[in-house]
Amino acid sequence: MKKLVVLTGAGISAESGIRTFRDSDGLWHDHDIMEVASPEGWRRDPELVLGFYNQRRRDLCEAKPNTAHLALARAEDTLNVHIITQNIDDLHERAGSTKVLHLHGELTKARSTADPSLVYGIEGTELSWGDHCELGSQLRPHIVWFGEAVPAMPEAAEIAQSADVFAVVGSSLVVYPAAALVQYVPYGVPILVVDPKDVAVPSWREITFIRENASTGVPKMLEAIRKLG
Ligand code: NAD
């Protein structure tokens, strides 16, 4: 089967009611992003950060995968689909996709502040000050914040390097190192982009743009990939 690698960003979940932050002037649900998504923000006010992600988890409970997530899951019938997502939601998994790599962590998990290898599922939506790992240290959201390393990047680069077709859906490609993944796609491999707005793709690559929302653009993208043979 042909290997389709899809890099997804916040835009694919927008039609499920989960807000992107770049589309709202750098504010994410009325918070300065650096207050709630940086190690400095966590040091300054951990309870604000925990409360912010608790609310995002409650929002996620209300959200459902949309046509774009579902179409990518169904595409596994005919393509070897690998999803690399910048999203912290679990809508790809809930749609039925089986190979999903989260670059920026997962909202539904917590990890130890003493040992990052200790990762736990969160029961329900709340993570609180005083919730400890088995070593007795505070738990934090299992999210890659601005300024932190992206541990899944080497695996993501390897996946991108082995693509037969590469697609970007709902990502502005301005958040690094995720945006650099396009550069790992070998020459000659077709690249398709689904986004209603301009995306920061390398100008030296030939790229097929589908300038639509994900719910209509992803089915069209899959149709275009089928026609590639
Ligand atoms: P981003 O940089 O990936 O940009 C969002 C892109 O989505 C833009 O290019 C925009 O034009 C496009 N878009 C908006 N609506 C769309 C639609 N209906 N269909 C297709 N494309 C659409 O994402 P960001 O918001 O700048 O977030 C960057 C980081 O913040 C993410 O990588 C993630 O770690 C975190 N984040 C995650 C979520 C989530 O998990 N759903 C939501 C917001 C932010």
Side-chain angles (χ1 to χ4, degrees):
M1 269 188 196
K2 190 179 274 193
K3 183 166 182 173
L4 167 63
V5 178
V6 189
L7 173 63
T8 64
I12 196 169
S13 296
E15 288 164 276
S16 292
I18 299 183
R19 268 198 259 166
T20 68
F21 67 78
R22 223 156 292 281
D23 288 321
S24 34
D25 296 330
L27 290 179
W28 201 10
H29 295 269
D30 304 324
H31 289 275
D32 178 333
I33 197 67
M34 296 309 278
E35 273 177 20
V36 292
S38 73
E40 295 74 22
W42 171 250
R43 271 195 294 277
R44 214 175 292 131
D45 193 345
E47 295 200 55
L48 174 85
V49 174
L50 289 168
F52 175 80
Y53 287 101
N54 287 345
Q55 187 55 49
R56 303 287 72 73
R57 250 174 248 117
R58 288 180 219 126
D59 293 347
L60 182 54
C61 278
E62 305 292 313
K64 289 197 186 76
N66 64 51
T67 313
H69 300 104
L70 294 168
L72 288 175
R74 261 198 315 272
E76 291 191 11
D77 292 345
T78 51
L79 293 162
N80 177 15
V81 184
H82 284 252
I83 292 172
I84 302 171
T85 188
Q86 299 171 79
N87 293 344
I88 56 174
D89 66 53
D90 61 355
L91 295 178
H92 284 301
E93 287 90 342
R94 278 159 58 192
S97 284
T98 58
K99 292 175 281 259
V100 183
L101 181 66
H102 285 268
L103 281 178
H104 295 163
E106 292 172 75
L107 195 49
T108 55
K109 293 182 180 168
R111 76 163 177 268
S112 164
T113 46
D115 176 353
S117 71
L118 295 175
V119 176
Y120 307 87
I122 297 172
E123 275 175 39
T125 56
E126 308 300 297
L127 185 63
S128 304
W129 189 247
D131 286 346
H132 290 156
C133 71
E134 64 216 55
L135 303 176
S137 294
Q138 176 63 39
L139 288 172
R140 57 163 272 181
H142 182 47
I143 307 286
V144 175
W145 287 325
F146 286 101
E148 294 188 316
V150 180
M153 197 56 196
E155 186 183 351
E158 231 172 79
I159 295 170
Q161 267 167 342
S162 63
D164 297 315
V165 184
F166 190 86
V168 180
V169 180
S171 175
S172 56
L173 291 185
V174 297
V175 176
Y176 275 80
L181 278 176
V182 180
Q183 323 226 6
Y184 288 88
V185 180
Y187 278 93
V189 168
I191 300 180
L192 297 93
V193 171
V194 178
D195 201 297
K197 292 195 188 152
D198 283 336
V199 167
V201 281
S203 54
W204 60 91
R205 292 293 301 247
E206 195 183 313
I207 290 173
T208 303
F209 288 97
I210 299 172
R211 294 189 196 277
E212 294 192 25
N213 283 343
S215 60
T216 56
V218 167
K220 284 184 190 166
M221 173 194 92
L222 291 168
E223 191 49 38
I225 291 169
R226 273 180 209 111
K227 284 189 184 147
L228 290 172

